[in-house]
Amino acid sequence: MEKTINDLMIEFNDLLANSLEFKNEKEMKEAANKLKKMKNEMRNLDNRVDFDDDGYAGITNSHEMGREGGVNLSVGNVATKGNIQFLNSANLEKVYTNKDNLDLGKYVKGALTGNWENASNEMGQFKALSTSTGTVLIPTSLSATVLAAVMNRSLIYKSGVPTVDMPNGNLTIAKVTKNPTFGFKEELATVEPQDATFEGVQLKGKMIYGLVKVSLEVLHSAANLSEILLQAMSDSIASSIDTAMLYGSDVNGIKGIFGTEGINSVEAAAVNYIPFVNAVGKIRQANGEPTILGINATTDTALNLLADTTGQPLNAPKVIDSLNRIVSNNLRNNLGTGLDEGEAMVYDPNSLIIGNQVKFMFETSREKGFDDGSVWLRVYSLLDMAVVRPTGITHITKLK
């Protein structure tokens, strides 16, 4: 199947990020050659493709979609005016470089207690961001550290779903719901025009918000303050994002992937590879190509325990083995009458898009917590998610 410009940019940025870890000269040369070839492929497909100072690929604003030089859309591909970013935990800190090696725990501890021992860089950043309100702002590079941890824990972000900025709080993107029909014709025969069908998808910033409470004893004494803050915030944010984006939210109107009309569904009779093969098949029948298998730990364990008649571990079919398996307990495993049924998802990340109005903001205050000896960290963002190609997603249920 011919790759779209989105497919190539994701593949290119992932390869570039991973190549930073290569130590073998042969691997580095192979990666460099592949990157060079992919650059040419992308520029041949779309002359708006540009590369930032770190080498990452993106789309410039030199043309509006639909004009000459724009992306050739296939059904479900996304059209926008702004830059589409392909962020993951590997390249995020390249975008927001932590040049001063700031430590989250030292920064928060110093800001709230005044103890800046072995934290001169953190103190300099704190002074630069100080406000008259008593609110402590967390530097962008440290926010990126937390967001990278979120991406490693979130099924949706970790799978590489494209993100697009929404500077005005909302954005309408277009998706193609029906391609025009082309065919051969006889000489001078009249042809009826066949129009493509487009549909608008509205993204609107919705608030995700949380408070993290830390005791003064932990703040003053814990040697692993950075680690516990990072884990507490990233686990909570990732769970909140995945829950809303998978199942929807009555609070802010996010519909959720599983509540979207038109996605594929497969019911499992048991935990084996059959429903997963069928899930891939349904996407391919719609001319899609999935790359991600999302499952919870219970289902993952059950699949790993499958054995043949001799007791040997059962190998997964090639069509399943080729998928990137992401284990996430944000996918439920307590459905059904006996609360023992799980669910999974096979999908192409390009079937989704995330809109960001406000990147994740992290603030803390000295004022809250006087009554019980605690301090609070506030975390929030404005974002939204939409399904742009429902047939690129299969929801698997009744895994028992």
Side-chain angles (χ1 to χ4, degrees):
M1 181 181 297
E2 186 177 351
K3 292 183 179 179
T4 67
I5 189 69
N6 288 3
D7 296 331
L8 285 170
M9 278 198 291
I10 292 174
E11 188 176 344
F12 179 95
N13 288 338
D14 283 345
L15 177 60
L16 181 61
N18 292 333
S19 68
L20 299 174
E21 307 298 324
F22 289 161
K23 296 181 174 63
N24 182 290
E25 185 176 354
K26 181 180 178 182
E27 287 182 330
M28 287 190 287
K29 284 183 177 180
E30 289 176 351
N33 290 333
K34 189 171 182 181
L35 288 169
K36 183 177 180 180
K37 181 180 178 182
M38 291 174 68
K39 275 187 179 182
N40 293 332
E41 284 183 83
M42 286 188 285
R43 281 175 169 153
N44 287 336
L45 282 173
D46 188 343
N47 58 19
R48 300 171 309 139
V49 174
D50 201 359
F51 303 88
D52 64 21
D53 293 337
D54 292 316
Y56 290 99
I59 295 179
T60 68
N61 290 322
S62 59
H63 295 281
E64 290 186 11
M65 289 290 184
R67 292 187 179 178
E68 185 177 354
V71 174
N72 293 320
L73 293 175
S74 61
V75 174
N77 277 356
V78 180
T80 76
K81 279 188 176 182
N83 291 334
I84 296 178
Q85 301 175 326
F86 297 93
L87 295 178
N88 56 35
S89 56
N91 67 27
L92 181 70
E93 292 188 32
K94 288 278 293 174
V95 179
Y96 304 103
T97 307
N98 189 359
K99 295 179 180 178
D100 296 320
N101 293 318
L102 301 179
D103 180 277
L104 180 63
K106 290 180 180 179
Y107 187 92
V108 172
K109 180 177 180 179
L112 295 177
T113 68
N115 181 358
W116 295 104
E117 184 179 357
N118 298 321
S120 57
N121 288 340
E122 288 77 10
M123 182 171 65
Q125 283 289 321
F126 169 74
K127 289 180 178 178
L129 294 174
S130 292
T131 69
S132 59
T133 63
T135 298
V136 178
L137 302 178
I138 306 296
T140 302
S141 56
L142 286 179
S143 296
T145 300
V146 178
L147 185 51
V150 171
M151 287 182 168
N152 272 326
R153 290 167 170 79
S154 164
L155 169 64
I156 303 300
Y157 272 106
K158 190 173 184 177
S159 64
V161 172
T163 67
V164 60
D165 287 332
M166 302 188 299
N168 298 319
N170 59 75
L171 179 69
T172 299
I173 60 176
K175 69 175 181 178
V176 183
T177 57
K178 181 183 178 183
N179 279 329
T181 302
F182 292 91
F184 292 97
K185 76 174 195 69
E186 295 180 359
E187 185 177 357
L188 300 180
T190 302
V191 175
E192 291 293 328
Q194 298 288 328
D195 294 332
T197 303
F198 295 86
E199 181 179 293
V201 177
Q202 183 76 23
L203 291 170
K204 186 175 181 179
K206 298 175 176 65
M207 177 70 73
I208 177 170
Y209 189 97
L211 293 171
V212 179
K213 184 178 181 180
V214 183
S215 72
L216 290 174
E217 290 83 355
V218 168
L219 185 65
H220 282 276
S221 306
N224 62 336
L225 184 59
S226 288
E227 288 77 10
I228 61 174
L229 287 176
L230 196 62
Q231 181 177 348
M233 286 191 286
S234 60
D235 283 351
S236 178
I237 295 168
S239 177
S240 298
I241 290 174
D242 280 358
T243 299
M245 292 187 179
L246 289 169
Y247 303 104
S249 171
D250 293 333
V251 175
N252 52 28
I254 292 180
K255 191 171 186 178
I257 296 169
F258 297 153
T260 300
E261 184 179 351
I263 68 168
N264 307 305
S265 62
V266 170
E267 287 190 3
V271 178
N272 54 40
Y273 290 114
I274 293 175
F276 298 96
V277 172
N278 287 332
V280 172
K282 289 206 170 189
I283 294 173
R284 287 181 170 176
Q285 286 164 16
N287 297 320
E289 189 59 45
T291 58
I292 304 295
L293 166 58
I295 54 176
N296 58 53
T298 301
T299 303
D300 182 61
T301 300
L303 289 176
N304 291 330
L305 290 173
L306 293 176
D308 61 22
T309 55
T310 66
Q312 296 300 309
L314 193 64
N315 292 327
K318 288 184 179 180
V319 69
I320 302 303
D321 197 43
S322 64
L323 299 176
N324 178 17
R325 185 186 295 193
I326 300 177
V327 179
S328 171
N329 289 325
N330 295 329
L331 284 161
R332 297 178 296 191
N333 69 343
N334 59 348
L335 306 173
T337 54
L339 298 181
D340 57 355
E341 292 179 1
E343 57 189 346
M345 181 168 68
V346 174
Y347 64 106
D348 172 8
N350 293 311
S351 299
L352 306 164
I353 190 165
I354 295 172
N356 282 328
Q357 179 185 354
V358 175
K359 300 286 193 300
F360 280 94
M361 301 293 292
F362 302 90
E363 302 171 355
T364 186
S365 175
R366 298 183 180 91
E367 298 177 2
K368 191 174 179 65
F370 274 93
D371 56 340
D372 63 358
S374 65
V375 294
W376 294 74
L377 282 84
R378 178 171 72 175
V379 186
Y380 69 92
S381 178
L382 286 165
L383 52 84
D384 198 6
M385 184 277 303
V387 176
V388 294
R389 186 173 185 173
T391 56
I393 302 167
T394 302
H395 182 203
I396 305 170
T397 58
K398 298 189 177 181
L399 288 162
K400 185 175 181 178

